[in-house]
């Protein structure tokens, strides 16, 4: 992206899209691996961009640049090198096998996803495609008005045989009634597709395969795709696309852009119980000019970047992200090797903004609903919601202290004021819970005991669950383990410059990552991926998946399914050889909110 703040934050690094920095590093890495398992392929020649052929009334697009765009980084990018590691082949095949099984369960007529199907899909994904929405209203099949219409354009150069193969097979594999009727669209022979209750249109226009959900959209796109001259009023040329969203860069694979101002809320289906147009206007969502993002596999790093551009003044939903700061108080709780994630949030602004939006959207006969919520919260908490939320001064951090990402070893922290009022709030915040307190210096330790969950049996009653809190003059810290909580309080009182400190702020990897970021941040995250116990993490994920599958089988009276093994035949320790760190940041100025995260 070309916003000056983004350039400053990243030095000479090429652009890429954005996950929120609070996204857990483990999830971020595993999502990328699954993404690559299915979507990475070999290289072919890259075509010109399809975006410059889109009409001016495009309000959203997702541009897949084709895996051929990764040709220059396949052997240098750390994530791509991990995907191409020979030991990962069995894991990739296992992923495809699971997709095949799921497809057969959902649609008995389907043969599932065979290896041949998977190879065909990988081949198709070598070329670029763009999916999008046009804001010009069109007529729906039922005769009503549609606020937007969708399209898919695929560059089928060298892939026409696969398109033909797909068309020949999908009718017999469809789970519902399927017809494909030839019709004349402009000067092309196209097809009207009826698949159950959905209607769409398809045309092969030169090298482009085009699919739309309305005839009007197809007629608008075909001249732009087939004309030898570039037509006027191209989407990419209009001034409404902010410069910060004009994304380019080596290894860029996926670009996203939405211009919400082009979608007229008044065209949304009316709802007598909730006026969405009034809700959107109250939250200043009509002043969100653009939302954009990009995923790039750069020569060494995998970068995800994005922006939400619009009004960040008081009353706007974008104002809930607090003002940036150079230093984070909660960072003192994180020891070297921890996974640290922190955001600056204006909790009072969030509450007031949402309540104002709800009040504006409700009909007159339900106008008291918002006031009722406020009154109920005041009764439960022992103080008005705005007073309670004002006790939290912005920082909210989640810190995992263990290499296997064990949630019982995590701590959560809020920066606070007026600790006496925070203690009073803890007495009331969870209905039915009991509290005990113990003072130790300037810190009050609170044990919150929840009633029995009811999951136990008559022979072995369920144990009451507990959560532990420490309230200091400036911070509230919470954990499921008392020893973890007390260690965190010790770190809070240990100066980072002392010999006893093992603070993350002194970690060389963290310091290098922080030096590349914007000076004042509204969100910050960092994880040392090389220290992760990936085998334990994957085992925990597998255990959760298998327990949920077994519970569903018992509920439905079916046999327990075979256990899931995510990465069979793969040594998870291999991940740490390729992936060393994950970091993310967000910042806000008068033009919007910007996000950047990177895996190295």
């Amino acid at each position: 992206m070309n916003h000056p703040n983004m350039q400053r934050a990243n030095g000479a690094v090429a652009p890429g899209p954005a996950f929120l920095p609070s996204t857990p590093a483990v999830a971020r890495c595993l999502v990328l691996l699954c993404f690559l398992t299915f979507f990475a392929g070999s290289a072919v020649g890259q075509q010109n961009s399809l975006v410059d052929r889109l009409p001016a009334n495009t309000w959203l697009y997702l541009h897949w640049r084709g895996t051929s765009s990764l040709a220059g980084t396949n052997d240098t990018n750390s994530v791509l090198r991990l995907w191409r590691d020979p030991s990962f082949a069995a894991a990739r095949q296992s992923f495809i096998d699971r997709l095949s099984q799921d497809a057969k369960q959902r649609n008995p007529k389907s043969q599932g996803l065979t290896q041949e199907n998977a190879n065909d899909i990988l081949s198709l994904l070598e070329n670029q495609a763009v999916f999008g929405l046009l804001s010009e209203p069109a007529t729906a099949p039922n005769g009503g008005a549609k606020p937007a219409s969708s399209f898919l354009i695929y560059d089928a150069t060298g892939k026409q045989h696969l398109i033909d193969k797909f068309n020949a097979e999908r009718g017999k594999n469809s789970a519902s009634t399927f017809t494909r009727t030839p019709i004349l669209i402009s000067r092309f022979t196209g097809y009207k597709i009826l698949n159950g209750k959905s209607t769409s249109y398809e045309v092969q226009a030169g090298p482009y395969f085009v699919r739309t959900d309305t005839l009007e959209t197809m007629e608008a796109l075909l001249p732009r795709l087939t004309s030898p001259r570039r037509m006027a009023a191209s989407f990419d040329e209009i001034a409404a696309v902010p410069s910060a969203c004009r994304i380019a860069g080596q290894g860029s694979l996926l670009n996203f852009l939405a211009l919400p101002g082009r979608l007229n809320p008044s065209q949304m289906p009316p709802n007598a119980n909730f006026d969405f147009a009034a809700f959107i206007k109250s939250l200043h969502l009509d002043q969100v000019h653009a939302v954009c993002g990009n995923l790039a596999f750069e020569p060494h790093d995998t970068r995800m970047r994005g922006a939400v551009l619009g009004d960040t003044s008081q009353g706007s939903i974008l104002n809930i992200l607090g003002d940036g700061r150079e230093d984070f108080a909660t960072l003192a709780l994180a020891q070297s090797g921890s996974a640290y994630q922190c955001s600056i949030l204006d909790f009072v602004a969030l509450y007031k903004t949402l309540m104002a939006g709800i009040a504006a959207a409700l009909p007159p006969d339900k106008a008291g609903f918002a006031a009722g919520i406020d009154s109920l919260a005041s009764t439960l908490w022992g103080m008005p919601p705005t007073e309670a939320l004002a006790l939290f001064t912005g920082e909210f951090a989640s810190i995992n202290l263990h290499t296997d990402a064990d949630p019982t070893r995590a701590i959560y922290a809020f920066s606070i004021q007026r600790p006496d009022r925070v203690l009073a709030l803890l007495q009331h915040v969870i209905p039915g819970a009991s509290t005990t307190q113990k003072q130790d210096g300037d810190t009050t330790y609170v044990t919150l005991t929840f009633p029995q969950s009811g999951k136990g049996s008559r022979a072995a009653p369920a144990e009451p669950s507990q959560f532990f809190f420490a309230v200091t003059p400036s911070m509230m810290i919470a954990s499921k383990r008392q020893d973890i909580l007390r260690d965190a309080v010790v770190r809070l009182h240990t100066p980072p410059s002392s010999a006893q400190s093992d603070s993350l702020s002194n970690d060389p990897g963290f310091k290098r990552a922080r030096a590349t970021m914007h000076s004042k941040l509204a969100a910050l995250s960092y994880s040392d991926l090389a220290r992760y116990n990936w085998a334990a993490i994957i085992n925990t994920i597998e255990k959760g998946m298998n327990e949920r599958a077994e519970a569903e089988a018992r509920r439905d009276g079916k046999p327990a399914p075979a256990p899931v093994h995510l990465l069979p035949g793969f040594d998870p320790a291999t991940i740490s050889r390729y992936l060393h760190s994950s970091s993310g940041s967000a910042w806000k100025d008068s033009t919007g909110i910007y996000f950047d995260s990177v895996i190295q």
Side-chain angles (χ1 to χ4, degrees):
M1 306 216 178
N2 299 325
H3 190 275
N5 285 348
M6 302 186 89
Q7 292 174 343
R8 177 181 176 184
N10 298 291
V13 186
F19 276 19
L20 293 179
S22 58
T23 303
V26 173
R28 207 178 305 172
C29 295
L30 293 178
V31 166
L32 274 174
L33 288 177
C34 291
F35 181 86
L36 286 171
T37 296
F38 209 70
F39 295 131
S42 59
V44 296
Q46 178 62 40
Q47 307 87 356
N48 293 326
S49 173
L50 288 170
V51 173
D52 59 9
R53 294 179 177 268
L54 299 181
N57 63 330
T58 303
W59 81 269
L60 176 149
Y61 75 73
L62 187 68
H63 182 202
W64 173 267
R65 294 170 61 92
T67 53
S68 59
S69 63
L70 305 179
T73 58
N74 267 327
D75 296 325
T76 58
N77 179 274
S78 57
V79 173
L80 295 178
R81 288 173 59 222
L82 171 60
W83 181 85
R84 290 160 62 87
D85 189 289
S87 65
F88 200 62
R92 295 197 300 268
Q93 185 58 51
S94 174
F95 178 76
I96 292 173
D97 292 342
R98 285 200 306 278
L99 288 179
S100 179
Q101 293 172 3
D102 291 343
K104 289 180 180 178
Q105 290 176 355
R106 289 193 302 269
N107 178 13
K109 290 179 61 178
S110 170
Q111 298 301 310
L113 183 70
T114 65
Q115 185 61 54
E116 181 182 358
N117 296 149
N119 291 337
D120 289 345
I121 293 172
L122 292 175
S123 179
L124 287 169
L125 290 170
E126 291 173 346
N127 289 10
Q128 66 170 332
V130 60
F131 167 81
L133 296 173
L134 302 185
S135 61
E136 185 174 16
T139 302
N142 61 6
K146 291 168 59 72
S149 52
S150 65
F151 64 86
L152 170 69
I153 306 170
Y154 174 72
D155 188 334
T157 302
K159 310 294 182 182
Q160 188 60 53
H161 64 292
L162 296 177
I163 298 289
D164 295 339
K165 180 179 177 181
F166 168 74
N167 284 330
E169 292 181 351
R170 63 176 170 163
K172 63 182 180 181
N173 291 332
S174 176
S176 56
T177 303
F178 180 91
T179 61
R180 188 168 183 258
T181 307
I183 61 171
L184 187 64
I185 305 177
S186 298
R187 56 186 177 85
F188 296 94
T189 299
Y191 296 89
K192 181 178 181 179
I193 311 296
L194 295 177
N195 192 354
K197 295 182 179 181
S198 67
T199 302
S200 60
Y201 300 86
E202 295 177 357
V203 168
Q204 185 71 42
Y208 302 114
F209 171 80
V210 188
R211 184 184 188 275
T212 67
D213 65 347
T214 66
L215 196 56
E216 293 94 334
T217 300
M218 181 67 77
E219 291 171 339
L221 289 173
L222 288 178
R224 311 191 69 87
L225 295 171
T226 57
S227 173
R229 303 186 309 275
R230 186 166 178 167
M231 300 185 67
S234 170
F235 172 79
D236 202 37
E237 295 174 332
I238 56 177
V241 181
S243 60
C245 291
R246 297 181 182 272
I247 306 167
Q250 182 182 1
S252 179
L253 181 63
L254 192 65
N255 293 338
F256 168 79
L257 173 63
L259 303 175
R262 295 192 176 183
L263 190 63
N264 188 352
S266 64
Q267 296 172 351
M268 300 176 70
N271 187 323
N273 296 315
F274 197 88
D275 187 342
F276 283 99
F279 181 78
I280 288 172
K281 188 172 182 62
S282 176
L283 271 61
H284 298 203
L285 287 172
D286 56 335
Q287 297 299 313
V288 175
H289 309 308
V291 181
C292 52
N294 171 257
L295 168 65
F297 293 88
E298 298 172 355
H300 299 285
D301 305 336
T302 299
R303 186 170 297 273
M304 296 158 278
R305 184 178 298 171
V308 181
L309 306 177
D311 178 16
T312 60
S313 64
Q314 186 174 1
S316 166
I317 192 66
L318 299 186
N319 191 46
I320 67 172
L321 193 67
D323 295 329
R325 56 189 65 179
E326 294 184 6
D327 300 312
F328 290 72
T330 52
L331 186 59
L333 302 172
Q335 63 192 40
S336 182
S338 301
Y340 175 78
Q341 302 157 39
C342 184
S343 298
I344 311 298
L345 301 172
D346 188 332
F347 297 103
V348 175
L350 172 61
Y351 180 79
K352 287 183 175 180
T353 300
L354 290 178
M355 294 302 289
I358 292 171
L362 292 175
D365 62 327
K366 297 182 179 179
F369 179 74
I373 293 177
D374 196 89
S375 176
L376 178 62
S378 298
T379 301
L380 291 175
W381 295 353
M383 63 185 76
T386 52
E387 180 182 331
L389 294 172
L391 299 173
F392 301 93
T393 57
E395 284 192 41
F396 168 61
S398 170
I399 307 167
N400 199 298
L401 307 169
H402 203 258
T403 57
D404 64 1
D406 181 356
T408 66
R409 294 174 178 264
I411 59 174
Y412 308 92
F414 293 86
S415 59
I416 63 168
Q417 59 183 346
R418 301 185 64 187
D420 57 323
R421 298 296 289 158
V422 173
L423 287 168
L425 180 62
L426 283 175
Q427 299 283 343
H428 299 90
V429 70
I430 306 295
S434 61
T435 61
T436 57
Q437 294 187 12
K438 182 179 180 180
Q439 192 72 28
D440 187 354
D442 65 357
T443 302
T444 303
Y445 291 93
V446 179
T447 301
L448 198 62
T449 303
F450 301 90
Q452 294 181 357
S453 64
K455 293 183 179 180
S457 63
R458 186 173 301 175
E463 292 290 332
S465 59
Q466 293 182 319
F467 219 87
F468 303 96
F469 294 83
V471 178
T472 76
S474 61
M475 202 172 296
M476 182 182 78
I477 313 166
S479 178
K480 296 186 73 173
R481 288 180 47 168
Q482 200 168 34
D483 58 332
I484 297 291
L485 182 69
R486 288 186 172 271
D487 288 345
V489 173
V490 171
R491 286 193 297 276
L492 182 64
H493 292 91
T494 303
S497 57
S498 70
Q500 294 77 24
S501 173
D502 63 345
S503 173
L504 179 63
S505 61
N506 296 326
D507 184 274
F510 173 82
K511 293 170 74 172
R512 284 193 299 271
R514 182 65 180 92
T516 67
M517 300 174 184
H518 198 266
S519 58
K520 291 187 176 182
L521 297 176
L524 170 65
S525 69
Y526 179 80
S527 298
D528 187 342
L529 302 180
R531 298 193 189 191
Y532 274 24
N533 183 344
W534 290 101
I537 292 171
I538 291 169
N539 286 338
T540 300
I541 296 173
E542 289 177 345
K543 181 181 177 182
M545 293 174 64
N546 290 326
E547 288 176 349
R548 286 191 296 272
E550 290 171 3
E552 290 177 3
R554 285 195 302 270
R555 181 196 64 198
D556 299 336
K558 297 180 179 179
V564 169
H565 298 288
L566 292 176
L567 302 176
F570 174 71
D571 180 6
T574 305
I575 297 175
S576 295
R577 295 211 310 264
Y578 293 98
L579 308 184
H580 303 135
S581 68
S582 170
S583 59
S585 61
W587 61 100
K588 182 180 74 172
D589 61 21
S590 60
T591 65
I593 299 172
Y594 300 84
F595 308 95
D596 186 29
S597 67
V598 61
I599 295 175
Q600 295 180 314

